[in-house]
């Protein structure tokens, strides 16, 4: 179905934000991602070790492409004020907390060193890395924002559904904590805010290109969870 043009859509929208236009035009895939049974099993702590290991091994293969995409955001952002949060996140989270978590969690799940360094890539993993690389090499800031926003906002979506008490095992609990809480919410708010700032000023073809990247990322997130669940 063709999307409703943003200017027409926002005239009757309860939340006229550009990021909300992107999200709403990515349904039903968006809701399928944030309510995915595999994500829900992480929040309950009852996902099997084999499934969690397969999921994290494949997810770890995004670290390099995701880090490079953050670097492209620093390079392509339109102001110093916009560059700073990317640099901060790159240094504090993408290259430290998550990398440390991956190594500890995969060791606890019985993964071998080669599972981190050079595992066979699932088709969806290769496709998602290709989308990240496509956005990165474009050096088109709104396109980079679209892919980053889906990756982070959708994870906040499922992690925010976790109920207390969180799982006792750190493999599940810390993965939830990495994608929830005030700092991560602020980070997602920043990404959405940048899209909300820039989107209305784009020409219609530019808005549709951002929507295309956003939708493609949502479809890949859904495929990734389906893969993790054995689908």
């Amino acid at each position: 179905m063709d999307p409703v043009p943003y200017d027409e859509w926002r005239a009757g929208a309860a939340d006229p934000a550009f990021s909300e236009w992107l999200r709403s035009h990515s349904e039903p895939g968006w809701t399928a991602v944030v309510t995915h049974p595999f994500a829900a099993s992480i929040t309950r702590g009852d996902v099997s070790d084999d499934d969690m290991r397969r999921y994290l091994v494949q997810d770890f293969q995004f670290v390099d492409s995701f880090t490079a995409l953050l670097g492209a955001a620093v390079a392509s952002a339109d102001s110093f004020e916009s560059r700073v949060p990317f640099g901060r996140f790159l240094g504090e989270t993408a290259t430290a907390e998550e990398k440390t978590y991956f190594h500890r969690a995969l060791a606890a799940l019985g993964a071998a060193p080669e599972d981190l360094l050079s595992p066979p890539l699932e088709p969806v993993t290769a496709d998602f890395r290709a989308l990240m690389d496509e956005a990165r090499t474009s050096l088109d800031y709104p396109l980079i924002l679209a892919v980053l926003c889906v990756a982070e906002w959708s994870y906040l979506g499922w992690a925010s559904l976790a109920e207390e008490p969180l799982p006792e095992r750190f493999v599940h609990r810390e993965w939830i904590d990495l994608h929830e809480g005030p700092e991560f919410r602020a980070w997602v708010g920043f990404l959405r805010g940048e899209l909300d700032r820039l989107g209305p000023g784009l020409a219609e073809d530019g808005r549709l290109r951002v929507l295309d990247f956003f939708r493609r990322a949502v479809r890949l997130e859904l495929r990734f969870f389906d893969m993790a669940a054995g689908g």
Side-chain angles (χ1 to χ4, degrees), residues 69-79 82-83 86 135-136 138-145 198:
L69 190 59
L70 289 169
V74 174
S76 61
D78 59 345
S79 70
S82 294
R83 298 183 208 279
F86 292 108
R136 172 181 57 81
S138 76
L139 283 180
D140 187 317
Y141 186 43
L143 299 185
I144 292 168
L145 283 169
L198 295 170

Side-chain angles (χ1 to χ4, degrees), residues 118-201:
S118 56
L121 295 184
E122 295 284 348
V124 64
T125 307
D127 290 346
F128 214 150
R129 291 207 313 193
L131 179 64
M132 290 183 186
D133 291 344
E134 183 181 351
R136 172 181 57 81
T137 56
S138 76
L139 283 180
D140 187 317
Y141 186 43
L143 299 185
I144 292 168
L145 283 169
V147 177
L148 288 172
C149 194
V150 170
E152 303 292 65
W153 189 10
S154 68
Y155 267 51
L156 173 62
W158 68 256
S160 66
L161 297 176
E163 297 180 357
E164 296 289 347
L166 295 181
E168 292 184 8
R169 199 172 180 195
F170 87 89
V171 166
H172 310 116
R173 185 186 66 255
E174 289 189 19
W175 191 238
I176 298 166
D177 287 340
L178 280 168
H179 300 102
E180 231 293 288
E183 291 185 3
F184 193 74
R185 287 178 177 272
W187 166 239
V188 171
F190 164 73
L191 294 174
R192 290 189 62 190
E194 288 292 273
L195 284 169
D196 295 342
R197 176 175 68 85
L198 295 170

Side-chain angles (χ1 to χ4, degrees), residues 194-213:
E194 288 292 273
L195 284 169
D196 295 342
R197 176 175 68 85
L198 295 170
L202 297 175
E204 192 60 29
D205 61 342
R207 294 171 182 169
L208 291 175
R209 193 160 183 235
V210 174
L211 177 60
D212 175 61
F213 272 68

Side-chain angles (χ1 to χ4, degrees), residues 97-120:
E97 292 180 28
E98 288 206 20
K99 190 171 182 181
T100 299
Y101 165 81
F102 275 116
H103 283 87
R104 289 188 297 113
L106 285 168
L109 291 167
E114 55 268 26
D115 291 331
L116 278 75
L117 297 176
S118 56

Side-chain angles (χ1 to χ4, degrees), residues 4-86:
V4 178
Y6 173 66
D7 288 335
E8 179 182 338
W9 172 86
R10 69 176 176 178
D15 180 354
F18 185 71
S19 60
E20 182 59 24
W21 178 73
L22 296 171
R23 188 207 61 76
S24 66
H25 281 79
S26 301
E27 292 290 6
W30 180 271
T31 296
V33 171
V34 301
T35 61
H36 198 282
F38 185 83
S41 69
I42 296 175
T43 66
R44 295 190 304 267
D46 59 16
V47 59
S48 73
D49 281 6
D50 286 346
D51 287 348
M52 192 69 181
R53 181 174 62 249
R54 180 174 64 250
Y55 164 70
L56 289 178
V57 164
Q58 293 296 311
D59 201 285
F60 186 69
Q61 306 315 305
F62 296 130
V63 169
D64 183 60
S65 293
F66 187 78
T67 301
L69 190 59
L70 289 169
V74 174
S76 61
D78 59 345
S79 70
F80 174 77
E81 289 75 14
S82 294
R83 298 183 208 279
V84 169
F86 292 108

